[in-house]
Amino acid sequence: MLVFLGVFAAAALILPWLVHRLGARAFFFAAAVSAGAFVYTVILGPGVLAGNIPFESYDWIPPLGIELSMRMTTLSWVLALVVTGVGALVLLYCRWYFRDNAEGLGQFAAVLLAFAGAMYGLVLTDDLVVLVMFWEVTSVLSYLLIGYYHRRGASRRSALQALLVTTLGGLVMLIGVVLLVVDTGTSSISEILAARPEGPVVVASLVLLLVGALSKSAVFPFHFWLPGAMTAPTPVSAYLHAAAMVKAGIYLIALFAPFEANEPGWRPIVVSLGVFTMLLGGFQALRETDLKRLLAFGTVSQLGFLTVILGYGVRDTALAGLALLLSHALFKSALFLVVGIIDRQLATRNIGELSGLGRQAPVLATLSIVAVASMAGLPPTIGFVAKETALTALLHQAQGGEAWAIVGILGVAAGSALTMAYGIRFVWGAFWTKRTGPDGAPPKRTEWPGAPAGFLAAPLILSALTLVAGLAAPAVDTVLATYADEAPLATPGVAEPEPYYLALWHGLEPALFISLGTIALGAAIFWATVRKDLSRRVLPFEAFDVYNAVLRGIARLSVATTTFTQRGSLPVYIGTIFIVFVVAEATALIMGGPDWRADVDLFQDPAQLAIAPVMIIAGLIAVRAKKRYTGVVLVSVTGLGMATLFAISGAPDLALTQILIETVTLIAFALVLRRIPSRMGEHNASVAAIPRALVAGAVGITMMAVAVIATGARLQDPVSVAWPDLAYELGHGRNVVNVALVDIRGWDTMGELGVLILAATGVASLVFVTDRKDNLTATNALPRVGGRDRRLLVETPSGVKPRNAGSGRQRMAWLVGGQQVRPENRSILLEVIVRILFHSIIIVSLYLLFAGHNLPGGGFAGGLVAGMALVMRYVAGGRYELGVAAPTDAGRLLGVGMSIAVGCAIVPLLFGAPPLTSTWFEAELPILGHVEFVTSTLFDVGVYLVVVGLVLDVLRSLGAEVDRQMQRSKARGVSVS
């Protein structure tokens, strides 16, 4: 079972390529995959029916007890047959439905097959959490399928509507799943059902599960999304909205009903909403003139019927419900496929435009009549057998005084009459020779062009199966009874009947006469309404109007909230954050009570007495600074003071990193300050100085209190005490900080790398106006010459040229880009120093990278040192020199670095180890002697490249690109300050 789940996924990935090569014939391959799963499921059938339940499991998330497990019970076996069998026929049908290679057909085929695989996993999984995941996957895939005609506004709206409704129900269901899993202590469906949990938490969780099931199966008040989804291609409607997606909610109800139907609230919800949905859908179907929408509302009605019967939770209703589920999948998918053939051949589905089709396409009409007969419950179809069993089961419960059974029998009888009425309307509208249509105008006589035999194969098989299943009712009973026997024979207080069975003939019993009455009443309803226009609204609003009103209300509330909160003032935003922080933390500190403990020393090292006042004074002067650059420098003083405190406290790694970060930050600020006023408040003066000071003081005092109280609140030894030993045992390194970053807490570093990449992308997106690609070295202002000649230039009146480009005085250029800097801004001494030191600094950065596992350093520090070397080249030679120093694109460095880090997380999985697991190698090499290599060093290389890429991206955006923009502005005579 797990293997076939993987086959579905792999085949879906291959399909777009196959469709590109083979066109619509690639659907043969997709159908073969689904048919293979169907055959495999059939082979497992005897064991399932004998009680030998197949079970496969793979530990997926062991800490949470979540498994990728598959368990095939009778219920899931039947659903798997429906999903794979009908899926294979629908995919085969697509071969002729999409005769021409339509736009996006490859993606459509892949998504449809992936949906089949997701449904296959949903009905077989034994883990409730995994079921929710498959549930949401089907919602997303159905969104893509419904919106296949994405150029049409109606398709996009319908797809979004289906996604919102089903996803909202899925989120509510997720809450119920969490409650149920926490209450029972397991996510295994079989264990939960075997335990039959009770209590208020279980009742609440079951109600939430029902919300998800009802939304997925389009039961009132969530019914409106299904008719809207008819904008999808007909194969999607036949599969998702007849046999698969809408059955997911019914499956969930059928899964829990035999065990939990007696819990408070279950039966009132499923019976009342099911009956109302059945009546509402049946009435709406009589109003439709579009054959597909008629079937859609009929599907809504039948889903209400299934909800009542399968959700009632006694043995005979369970038997009838599963038979109804099987019959519905057969007859409704057959009818949708018939409508697809009509629409594909005649380009219309409107009843008013169809007449005389039955005589011209007798095979198609016969298939439709058989399917409608099963839908209406006429013998000898499986629909008749299931309907009679359902009526008998409800009658027995009603005779025992069960109130909800009385509601159920009355509602089902009335709904069955409406089903008969709209069933006749479908046959009449599609195939009858009509003198006048529903609008009173005579329809045009339809000229049937004929349909390929393969096009008819799928509906032919499905319609034939409705007859075969009806005639073989005893055999079907043997199969389905194993599921029904899990439910109690009757509700509490009702006498237990003899177990019922599926058969074509049970004699002249009450259910038969009720069924005959509904058939006669349905025919009368059709006759009474066939010439009437029922399209006018009965109520002033419908469910769809409520949905639109809710969306408009949410949009208006969002606009109002945004208008109120997003004032366009950065001080207001920051002040709000700080105030919330102070209030929240102060509340927590006050509520903590008198148990605070604080262990505070005046100082641990005499040097702190000299460093701390300098930091405090610099901070106070920074607040009063009038120029921005002065404020930035003073803030950096506090950072450098912190680096000194790290150094005297025995943390050289932190000190080194802090110094480098402060330096890079200072440079970045200096680059930014070129484009904003030099004096603070020059354009927008600072206001409300006293409130700002109060907020700042409150934040500082709160943070100080949190730090003091938190450090004194420890009750156990810190985990860091064991880290020096763990660093060597797990990471084979002596530098605890570096080993922690790349090994023990590698996932944190992975997340930080992602944040760095996002930051670099965000900065570049804000600064670059047109093209982020590095084109500095490609400009005509800096000729590119191969080899060492790139650095041998001569100055001429026309610009800079290579040594061999002409005659004149030749000289060696220390920095190529320096000759593009304005003479008054050049420093030959700086160029010479940078040229001499650049390569040495790069070597130092590489030393820090590879020595960091045992000595101070690491990928982060090494990357910052390499970035400082690039900063030096930029400061000395300008933006063109930066292009020469780093001729690659910053995005490539970021991407390669992140790819290496991700690879270090994935590769251990191939060897059965957890992600980011490291190992080491030792060897005695000539000359080098004893050498050790730890694989986490590769992760550090990724960190190194990401940091270098970040610095380069900042220099390219805040430095080189701003230079270019300033130069262009000056050329246009525009002020850049």
Side-chain angles (χ1 to χ4, degrees):
M1 294 179 285
L2 287 173
V3 171
F4 265 102
L5 194 62
V7 170
F8 273 109
L13 295 176
I14 296 172
L15 262 181
W17 176 79
L18 282 178
V19 170
H20 178 72
R21 295 295 301 272
L22 304 177
R25 288 175 295 171
F27 281 104
F28 287 134
F29 169 76
V33 172
S34 189
F38 176 81
V39 172
Y40 175 73
T41 305
V42 171
I43 293 173
L44 293 179
V48 173
L49 301 179
N52 300 322
I53 305 300
F55 182 80
E56 298 174 4
S57 178
Y58 173 78
D59 286 341
W60 186 26
I61 311 178
L64 298 179
I66 298 175
E67 299 178 342
L68 195 59
S69 56
M70 296 289 178
R71 186 171 182 268
M72 187 177 286
T73 61
T74 301
L75 176 63
S76 56
W77 181 71
V78 172
L79 265 295
L81 289 176
V82 169
V83 167
T84 56
V86 177
L89 292 175
V90 170
L91 288 166
L92 184 67
Y93 174 90
C94 289
R95 160 63 183 87
W96 287 275
Y97 187 85
F98 297 102
R99 289 195 292 270
D100 50 350
N101 195 352
E103 179 184 0
L105 187 59
Q107 176 185 332
F108 173 86
V111 174
L112 186 59
L113 186 61
F115 179 88
M119 279 298 305
Y120 181 77
L122 188 151
V123 300
L124 290 178
T125 182
D126 188 52
D127 193 287
L128 200 54
V129 176
V130 177
L131 184 145
V132 174
M133 295 180 181
F134 280 123
W135 188 282
E136 296 304 330
V137 169
T138 59
S139 293
V140 174
L141 295 178
S142 69
Y143 165 78
L144 297 174
L145 292 171
I146 294 171
Y148 171 68
Y149 300 117
H150 56 87
R151 298 184 185 276
R152 304 175 185 175
S155 293
R156 297 194 300 271
R157 288 190 297 269
S158 297
L160 181 61
Q161 176 180 274
L163 179 67
L164 290 177
V165 174
T166 56
T167 302
L168 176 62
L171 291 175
V172 174
M173 186 182 77
L174 176 60
I175 299 173
V177 167
V178 172
L179 290 176
L180 193 58
V181 170
V182 171
D183 186 73
T184 58
T186 179
S187 60
S188 171
I189 296 174
S190 56
E191 293 180 11
I192 292 174
L193 297 180
R196 296 181 182 249
E198 298 178 348
V201 174
V202 174
V203 172
S205 64
L206 289 175
V207 172
L208 296 175
L209 288 176
L210 282 177
V211 172
L214 298 178
S215 67
K216 197 76 162 182
S217 292
V219 175
F220 180 87
F222 308 105
H223 63 286
F224 57 90
W225 72 261
L226 181 57
M230 293 303 106
T231 56
T234 299
V236 174
S237 302
Y239 190 40
L240 273 67
H241 308 135
M245 178 181 174
V246 294
K247 292 295 193 304
I250 300 299
Y251 166 73
L252 191 65
I253 293 174
L255 190 64
F256 282 90
F259 306 93
E260 304 293 343
N262 290 327
E263 291 294 325
W266 177 280
R267 236 174 237 116
I269 292 175
V270 296
V271 174
S272 60
L273 294 181
V275 165
F276 186 79
T277 303
M278 188 177 184
L279 297 176
L280 178 63
F283 175 73
Q284 292 287 350
L286 287 173
R287 302 171 60 192
E288 294 297 330
T289 58
D290 185 297
L291 290 176
K292 201 172 177 183
R293 285 183 59 85
L294 187 155
L295 291 179
F297 279 110
T299 301
V300 170
S301 179
Q302 291 292 308
L303 291 172
F305 190 12
L306 285 167
T307 301
V308 173
I309 303 304
L310 272 172
Y312 198 84
V314 296
R315 191 261 178 199
D316 291 345
T317 58
L319 178 65
L322 197 53
L324 276 173
L325 186 149
L326 179 62
S327 66
H328 180 266
L330 296 174
F331 68 68
K332 191 53 66 74
S333 54
L335 290 174
F336 271 118
L337 295 180
V338 166
V339 171
I341 294 173
I342 295 174
D343 189 19
R344 194 71 174 82
Q345 300 299 105
L346 300 177
T348 183
R349 304 189 303 253
N350 195 298
I351 291 176
E353 298 176 3
L354 297 171
S355 180
L357 185 58
R359 293 182 179 178
Q360 299 179 64
V363 174
L364 199 63
T366 303
L367 300 180
S368 300
I369 292 172
V370 171
V372 167
S374 184
M375 180 173 69
L378 299 177
T381 64
I382 185 63
F384 167 77
V385 174
K387 177 182 172 184
E388 190 176 48
T389 305
L391 291 172
T392 300
L394 289 175
L395 269 176
H396 179 83
Q397 296 297 317
Q399 290 169 356
E402 179 63 34
W404 288 109
I406 297 174
V407 174
I409 190 69
L410 294 175
V412 166
S416 297
L418 291 174
T419 302
M420 183 66 189
Y422 69 72
I424 300 175
R425 180 179 176 82
F426 175 87
V427 175
W428 169 81
F431 300 103
W432 225 253
T433 301
K434 300 183 285 292
R435 295 195 179 106
T436 58
D439 56 356
K444 299 178 181 178
R445 184 172 179 82
T446 306
E447 295 297 331
W448 181 249
F455 212 4
L456 297 172
L460 175 63
I461 294 172
L462 292 168
S463 295
L465 286 175
T466 61
L467 287 174
V468 172
L471 296 172
V476 176
D477 177 80
T478 303
V479 173
L480 304 186
T482 54
Y483 159 73
D485 291 339
E486 296 177 343
L489 287 173
T491 56
V494 177
E496 294 185 354
E498 289 293 325
Y500 206 70
Y501 58 92
L502 300 176
L504 267 176
W505 180 250
H506 282 281
L508 300 175
E509 58 181 10
L512 177 63
F513 292 104
I514 295 175
S515 183
L516 292 175
T518 60
I519 292 171
L521 181 60
I525 292 173
F526 165 75
W527 185 258
T529 59
V530 65
R531 302 301 179 187
K532 295 185 180 296
D533 183 11
L534 302 177
S535 60
R536 289 175 295 179
R537 285 192 174 190
V538 178
L539 298 174
F541 63 90
E542 296 178 354
F544 182 72
D545 300 316
V546 176
Y547 165 81
N548 285 331
V550 170
L551 289 187
R552 287 194 298 269
I554 293 174
R556 290 171 181 171
L557 179 62
S558 301
V559 171
T561 303
T562 304
T563 303
F564 178 76
T565 58
Q566 301 297 312
R567 316 290 296 187
S569 172
L570 183 59
V572 170
Y573 301 154
I574 297 176
T576 303
I577 294 172
F578 283 161
I579 291 172
V580 171
F581 167 76
V582 170
V583 172
E585 295 300 325
T587 303
L589 293 174
I590 294 172
M591 297 298 291
D595 296 332
W596 293 344
R597 293 181 300 275
D599 185 11
V600 181
D601 296 331
L602 182 60
F603 63 91
Q604 286 82 31
D605 190 291
Q608 294 174 344
L609 295 176
I611 298 170
V614 174
M615 296 172 63
I616 295 172
I617 294 171
L620 293 175
I621 298 176
V623 173
R624 302 294 300 168
K626 299 299 183 181
K627 291 189 175 182
R628 299 182 190 275
Y629 186 75
T630 304
V632 169
V633 172
L634 290 170
V635 170
S636 295
V637 170
T638 63
L640 294 174
M642 183 62 67
T644 308
L645 292 177
F646 286 149
I648 64 176
S649 299
D653 274 277
L654 297 180
L656 176 63
T657 304
Q658 182 71 27
I659 292 172
L660 294 170
I661 288 176
E662 286 297 331
T663 306
V664 172
T665 304
L666 178 61
I667 294 170
F669 271 118
L671 295 175
V672 172
L673 292 178
R674 297 179 298 167
R675 295 301 301 268
I676 60 179
S678 60
R679 301 186 65 84
M680 296 184 184
E682 188 172 321
H683 287 177
N684 300 99
S686 300
V687 296
I690 295 177
R692 292 186 183 201
L694 292 175
V695 171
V699 171
I701 294 172
T702 302
M703 197 65 233
M704 180 191 68
V706 169
V708 171
I709 294 172
T711 54
R714 188 183 301 278
L715 299 177
Q716 304 294 332
D717 291 337
V719 68
S720 58
V721 172
W723 276 32
D725 295 331
L726 289 174
Y728 191 77
E729 293 173 4
L730 299 180
H732 206 68
R734 297 296 185 185
N735 185 345
V736 179
V737 174
N738 186 259
V739 174
L741 291 176
V742 301
D743 198 320
I744 300 176
R745 300 189 63 179
W747 280 117
D748 291 351
T749 306
M750 186 84 75
E752 291 164 3
L753 293 181
V755 172
L756 289 178
I757 292 175
L758 289 175
T761 303
V763 170
S765 300
L766 291 172
V767 175
F768 283 87
V769 178
T770 56
D771 185 11
R772 184 184 176 184
K773 183 179 179 182
D774 172 40
N775 54 12
L776 295 178
T777 57
T779 179
N780 294 329
L782 186 62
R784 299 197 64 171
V785 185
R788 296 179 57 86
D789 287 346
R790 296 175 62 191
R791 304 196 176 278
L792 301 176
L793 305 176
V794 295
E795 295 186 45
T796 68
S798 60
V800 181
K801 292 186 177 181
R803 177 181 57 186
N804 56 357
S807 61
R809 186 172 56 88
Q810 300 181 3
R811 72 178 181 84
M812 175 76 72
W814 286 99
L815 295 181
V816 178
Q819 299 181 32
Q820 300 301 307
V821 180
R822 299 177 63 181
E824 61 269 22
N825 294 334
R826 289 189 67 183
S827 171
I828 299 300
L829 180 61
L830 181 60
E831 291 183 22
V832 172
I833 293 174
V834 169
R835 180 74 175 87
I836 294 174
L837 294 180
F838 177 77
H839 299 89
S840 300
I841 295 175
I842 294 297
I843 292 175
V844 171
S845 75
L846 294 174
Y847 168 79
L848 291 174
L849 165 63
F850 291 105
H853 209 64
N854 292 286
L855 299 173
F860 195 81
L864 287 174
V865 171
M868 291 301 302
L870 295 175
V871 170
M872 292 170 56
R873 292 285 291 267
Y874 167 71
V875 171
R879 60 193 181 106
Y880 296 110
E881 184 62 29
L882 180 63
V884 174
T888 187
D889 185 65
R892 294 176 183 172
L893 288 176
L894 294 170
V896 171
M898 193 65 186
S899 298
I900 293 174
V902 173
C904 291
I906 294 175
V907 169
L909 297 175
L910 304 178
F911 297 92
L916 291 175
T917 299
S918 64
T919 187
W920 59 85
F921 305 94
E922 296 179 290
E924 294 292 338
L925 300 179
I927 301 175
L928 297 178
H930 183 74
V931 176
E932 296 181 1
F933 179 77
V934 185
T935 55
S936 59
T937 303
L938 298 175
F939 186 88
D940 226 8
V941 171
V943 175
Y944 178 89
L945 293 176
V946 168
V947 174
V948 174
L950 172 67
V951 175
L952 180 59
D953 215 8
V954 170
L955 290 175
R956 289 255 171 90
S957 55
L958 299 181
E961 177 64 13
V962 171
D963 289 343
R964 188 189 65 79
Q965 294 177 13
M966 293 175 65
Q967 183 178 358
R968 178 175 297 182
S969 299
K970 288 181 180 180
R972 296 176 178 175
V974 180
S975 175
V976 295
S977 56

